[in-house]
Amino acid sequence: MAARAYLDHASSSPLRPIALEAMLPFLAEHPGDPARLHAEGRVTRVAVEEAREQVAGLFGARPREVVFTSGGTEAVNHAVWGGVRRAGVDGDIVTTAVEHSSVLDACRRERGDTTLVGVDRVGRFDPDEIIGALSDDTALVTVQLANHEVGTLQPVAAICTAARARDVLVHVDACAAAGHVPIDFAALGADLLSISAHKLGGPKGAGALLIRRGLRIPPLIIGGAQERERRGGLENVPAIVGFGAAAAELSTDGRLATEAAAARRITDTIVRGALAAVPGLVQYGDPDQRVPHLVCLGIEGVEAEPILLALDQHGVAVHSGSACSSEALEPSPVLEAMGADADRSLRASVGWSSTDDDATHLLDALPGIVTALRALRAP
Amino acid sequence: MAAQTPGRGGVYLDYQSAKPVDPRVVEAMAPYFTERFGNPASLHGVGDDATATLDSARAKVAASIGALPEEIVFTSGATESSNLALLGYANRNRRAGDHILISEVDHISIHNIGKMLEKAGFRVGKVPPDQFGRIDPEKVRKRITPETILVSVGWASNEIGTVQPMAEIGEVVAGTGATLHSDAVAAQGQLPIDVSRTGVGMLTLSSNDIYGPQGVGALYIRNGVKVAPVAFGGGQEDGLRSGTENLAGIVGMAAAAEIMSRELPADAARMAALRDRLVREVLAAIPDAHLNGHPTERLPGNAHFRFEGVEGESLLLLMREEGISVATGSACSSKTLEPSHTLISCGLLHEEAHGSLEFTFGRWSKDSDVDSVLAVLPGIVDKLRRMSPLYNKH
């Protein structure tokens, strides 16, 4: 049987070999608590700080601006929880209808009157509409850098500038984009930015919240003095080291640009090939201004679930809706906000290990599956 | 720098702060880093495989403490577990009362969470220990009021090694309407822990403390105990802990739990023999040396000494020069150099607390580690005392 085509990197990417190699010694040989003064503690402290520099380097941040977390969800929750408390005002949170569920749920916990700004047909929000929604007592603005389901890149820079000018804290959820497009935290001007390690080929169980220099927000996870008192709990040293190694690889020899170009080529092949071979198929999201590694297709007249299962039997892994709601297969709130058919989307996403053969594998299987499923529905 | 591998390089006697991952655990995790990397929430085959793995890991961790699989929530570590237990429980059960009891000798993270609960409007009482760091169940009983919703007592002290009478404390809390939480991290892998025999409603568990990977932990929540989530998102872990599951880490914790259950009696006996020899010979060889904590009710891997007239920090640095890694104070406070709150609660003066040194044994500790300590420690203490104005007063 041919190798499987894994086209679901946006849910979780396999670990980069260089990251695994960096991690193994810290699993097997270096047990030290980085806060300790002894030799073992020094080894892990140096490793964590090196990883901090590597992550900071990839995202244009200062090392001290990097707070390691257990993942993207924790980073997002920390940003929303801590940002609102730091602001100390009773006003609303301004966000958008197409944010990841972790952002929306964290906002709803804080504020019943969270303002949700809508999007256009490709899932993009209008920066002017968000800026217009700000008031003097707005507690926080939280916007995504790119959409996790349809890939559309968002105009966040203008929002950061306007929010900073009005002294409103702004959080950027970069989990879907990080590692796939260049991100410069300093130039962007955000106060807070969330990153997930496993979506760029780092390990699961690690992420980072970038906190702009000079800004102090209370910690979400309370414990000891780790992470300069911004995140309690013994550092997950192996995962942090793996995250650093993955970031360093992306920073070296133009690797991010090379991988992005390959991702663009493969996803373009998927879109072009699918549109040509399957009638009644549309692309959701901005076909051009999108993250290079992710495309979303709508298939007229067939539910997503049977396609997903049939593709899986053919050795192709894709996704529908957002990763977290796929078990329930509820209609996607992102597609609903775009005015698209929320029940019939397929998301194909690639990553560092993807090849052109993965696209071929999908394109070989998809037309027959759609034809067969449509035939079942014929009267 | 050369790896200071326990059992291979220098003498590592700081198992309490962080433990090496058992090679058998690394082996169990390896496939999940590479070929089996799916997200359990995805519908495709890779995701199905991940879901089955997650279920099996949950069952193994549950079995290791006598719990049911659905009573285990995986987290990013013990600190997050305790946040979820205390903050999540208090927020969910606020209408039942506003009083919470913790122990004075609990881990620093529990104390810091207590401060957060006070900010949120709860009243947080602290139960003092006796001079050995032990919590008397009667003192708990006297402090429970009709408004008490939660009692949190660590199973054993991570610093001085004193083991608490958890079964008796469980009996005291039972029937009062309050729920008992215990941070069991220090006791894991050293004492048998069976939630079905103790009456705890919630139990904080760490993976690294049973030689699993860092960055994973679990919270046991007895069926019927209601907890609100602390972090929100994709609804993983039955809505209590959102975020893509750290599958490799969870598999590692499960493998570590299986090994622990099998090897605990032998591990504990070996550590106790090393500890007993160290305590006996240190107290015999060094004058004005004392054992902190309880003489008998203590963790098999813990020996915590106090040397009059000597700074623990200086001891630690001189021991480091000899290639021996030990600890002073608690893992979380060694950066701040403040005296340990646990020792102060046991009635020690600041200068007495500062003269403390903690040795903790683990799975790869051996007789030659004790030999190495005994070969240098008496000389180091003597050298420091000769420079110490405090000791000259004697």
Side-chain angles (χ1 to χ4, degrees):
Chain A
M1 180 187 147
R4 288 181 59 90
Y6 183 71
L7 292 168
D8 194 15
H9 283 253
S11 287
S12 194
S13 216
L15 188 62
R16 292 173 190 267
I18 201 169
L20 178 61
E21 199 181 315
M23 291 168 72
L24 286 176
F26 289 91
L27 281 170
E29 291 161 37
H30 304 302
D33 173 348
R36 294 297 212 200
L37 294 172
H38 49 57
E40 287 84 353
R42 212 162 50 228
V43 171
T44 50
R45 185 159 65 251
V46 167
V48 166
E49 293 316 310
E50 188 184 345
R52 198 183 307 283
E53 285 172 16
Q54 290 166 328
V55 170
L58 178 61
F59 298 110
R62 297 160 187 264
R64 284 188 169 192
E65 293 176 322
V66 176
V67 176
F68 287 117
T69 66
S70 69
T73 297
E74 185 189 317
V76 161
N77 274 271
H78 186 183
V80 172
W81 190 90
V84 166
R85 268 153 198 77
R86 166 66 177 70
V89 291
D90 296 332
D92 60 347
I93 299 174
V94 176
T95 187
T96 82
V98 294
E99 299 298 317
H100 188 267
S101 59
S102 61
V103 173
L104 293 176
D105 289 350
C107 291
R108 288 190 189 111
R109 171 179 56 166
E110 292 302 328
R111 292 289 190 271
D113 56 348
T114 292
T115 303
L116 290 187
V117 171
V119 292
D120 63 15
R121 297 283 301 178
V122 296
R124 182 171 291 118
F125 43 78
D126 178 353
D128 291 336
E129 204 178 328
I130 289 175
I131 294 163
L134 301 180
S135 70
D136 285 343
D137 64 351
T138 297
L140 182 74
V141 185
T142 171
V143 287
Q144 63 188 195
L145 194 57
N147 185 266
H148 52 289
E149 285 187 47
V150 300
T152 299
L153 284 167
Q154 304 288 7
V156 295
I159 294 164
C160 291
T161 308
R164 291 287 296 278
R166 301 184 61 150
D167 219 17
V168 173
L169 283 181
V170 53
H171 166 242
V172 173
D173 169 15
C175 290
H180 302 283
V181 297
I183 294 175
D184 187 330
F185 183 58
L188 187 63
D191 293 295
L192 301 157
L193 187 134
S194 298
I195 304 160
S196 160
H198 75 95
K199 295 189 186 211
L200 53 79
K204 295 182 182 67
L209 178 63
L210 307 186
I211 303 180
R212 180 178 54 76
R213 186 184 183 218
L215 175 66
R216 281 200 75 83
I217 64 170
L220 176 71
I221 304 288
I222 302 159
Q226 293 91 351
E227 297 294 295
R228 302 169 66 78
E229 298 187 10
R230 294 174 295 184
R231 202 281 181 186
L234 179 67
E235 295 86 346
N236 184 358
V237 177
I240 288 171
V241 167
F243 185 11
E249 178 168 77
L250 281 163
S251 301
T252 307
D253 297 334
R255 184 66 173 257
L256 190 150
T258 313
E259 287 187 8
R264 183 90 205 190
R265 186 183 69 241
I266 301 170
T267 52
D268 277 345
T269 303
I270 290 172
V271 173
R272 259 199 317 273
L275 288 174
V278 182
L281 184 139
V282 291
Q283 180 179 7
Y284 291 133
D286 192 316
D288 188 44
Q289 295 300 309
R290 62 173 173 88
V291 284
H293 69 296
L294 184 170
V295 286
C296 187
L297 303 170
I299 300 173
E300 197 179 288
V302 191
E303 303 289 331
E305 183 172 341
I307 297 185
L308 232 63
L309 296 175
L311 280 172
D312 189 40
Q313 284 172 354
H314 282 79
V316 181
V318 296
H319 185 64
S320 176
S322 83
C324 301
S325 64
S326 157
E327 240 172 13
L329 281 174
E330 285 163 359
S332 152
V334 171
L335 295 175
E336 278 183 341
M338 291 164 56
D341 186 338
D343 292 317
R344 297 186 171 81
S345 71
L346 277 191
R347 183 183 75 179
S349 54
V350 301
W352 65 270
S353 61
S354 302
T355 64
D356 292 310
D357 287 347
D358 294 333
T360 309
H361 205 142
L362 169 65
L363 294 171
D364 284 349
L366 186 63
I369 289 169
V370 174
T371 305
L373 287 170
R374 281 181 176 156
L376 283 179
R377 302 201 147 208
Chain B
M1 172 172 300
Q4 298 261 336
T5 309
R8 217 176 67 188
V11 178
Y12 187 71
L13 292 173
D14 190 18
Y15 275 87
Q16 186 280 132
S17 80
K19 291 182 174 66
V21 182
D22 192 298
R24 293 168 288 182
V25 170
V26 178
E27 203 175 303
M29 293 169 72
Y32 295 89
F33 285 126
T34 50
E35 66 260 37
R36 301 171 73 177
F37 51 83
N39 182 337
S42 296
L43 200 63
H44 46 66
V46 181
D48 284 348
D49 186 23
T51 304
T53 304
L54 192 57
D55 289 345
S56 148
R58 200 185 305 282
K60 287 175 187 171
V61 171
S64 75
I65 57 161
L68 299 169
E70 68 265 26
E71 295 175 320
I72 298 294
V73 174
F74 287 112
T75 67
S76 70
T79 301
E80 187 189 324
S81 297
S82 291
N83 273 257
L84 180 57
L86 273 71
L87 297 174
Y89 181 89
N91 286 332
R92 181 70 165 72
N93 296 279
R94 189 165 207 145
R95 264 180 290 178
D98 67 346
H99 185 241
I100 290 160
L101 277 177
I102 65 176
S103 116
E104 273 190 14
V105 290
D106 262 340
H107 191 266
I108 187 76
S109 61
I110 302 287
H111 285 258
N112 286 337
I113 296 165
K115 288 179 197 161
M116 177 57 64
L117 285 167
E118 284 177 336
K119 274 191 202 164
F122 291 93
R123 292 176 297 133
V124 178
K126 291 180 185 171
V127 185
D130 64 16
Q131 59 174 314
F132 302 118
R134 207 160 145 90
I135 299 289
D136 178 354
E138 281 310 307
K139 286 188 187 165
V140 177
R141 186 197 304 279
K142 282 182 190 150
R143 284 169 174 77
I144 293 179
T145 72
E147 281 74 45
T148 307
I149 54 173
L150 181 63
V151 177
S152 180
V153 177
W155 202 290
S157 165
N158 63 306
E159 289 183 58
I160 57 175
T162 300
V163 178
Q164 304 300 350
M166 288 312 299
E168 289 84 344
I169 294 171
E171 281 170 23
V172 163
V173 176
T176 65
T179 295
L180 177 61
H181 164 257
S182 183
D183 173 355
V185 168
Q188 285 179 271
Q190 304 212 30
L191 302 173
I193 293 173
D194 186 343
V195 292
S196 66
R197 293 178 184 203
T198 48
V200 289
M202 295 183 287
L203 194 76
T204 290
L205 296 168
S206 148
S207 153
N208 184 237
D209 283 82
I210 51 172
Y211 310 97
Q214 294 160 359
V216 197
L219 181 66
Y220 157 77
I221 306 174
R222 192 176 61 215
N223 274 335
V225 172
K226 301 280 185 242
V227 176
V230 172
F232 293 76
Q236 289 92 346
E237 297 295 297
D238 212 10
L240 281 174
R241 204 285 170 175
S242 288
T244 298
E245 293 88 345
N246 173 5
L247 198 60
I250 288 169
V251 166
M253 181 174 184
E258 272 194 316
I259 295 169
M260 189 265 290
S261 302
R262 216 166 42 231
E263 300 185 358
L264 176 73
D267 269 355
R270 192 178 51 252
M271 289 189 286
L274 293 170
R275 175 203 62 190
D276 289 344
R277 185 184 153 219
L278 182 72
V279 170
R280 199 171 54 239
E281 302 204 13
V282 164
L283 295 182
I286 304 177
D288 299 319
H290 310 275
L291 183 69
N292 291 325
H294 202 281
T296 54
E297 296 299 316
R298 66 184 306 133
L299 294 172
N302 178 294
H304 200 290
F305 298 102
R306 183 171 88 250
F307 302 103
E308 292 179 23
V310 173
E311 280 281 330
E313 204 74 14
S314 314
L315 273 173
L316 183 140
L317 294 173
L318 291 181
M319 296 287 278
R320 186 169 88 180
E321 308 254 293
E322 303 287 344
I324 301 172
S325 295
V326 294
T328 166
S330 83
C332 296
S333 68
S334 103
K335 257 184 183 170
T336 63
L337 299 182
E338 280 170 19
S340 143
H341 69 277
T342 300
L343 294 175
I344 300 299
S345 288
C346 294
L348 293 191
L349 301 173
H350 277 219
E351 58 268 30
E352 291 174 327
H354 269 308
S356 294
L357 205 59
E358 178 184 7
F359 297 83
T360 44
F361 296 97
R363 188 168 283 165
W364 294 276
S365 300
K366 49 198 181 300
D367 265 325
S368 65
D369 296 337
V370 177
D371 297 338
S372 302
V373 173
L374 293 171
V376 300
L377 185 59
I380 290 174
V381 171
D382 186 51
K383 180 178 164 188
L384 288 172
R385 279 177 175 168
R386 275 188 276 118
M387 303 186 307
S388 163
L390 274 174
Y391 194 68
N392 289 342
K393 286 178 191 160
H394 279 261

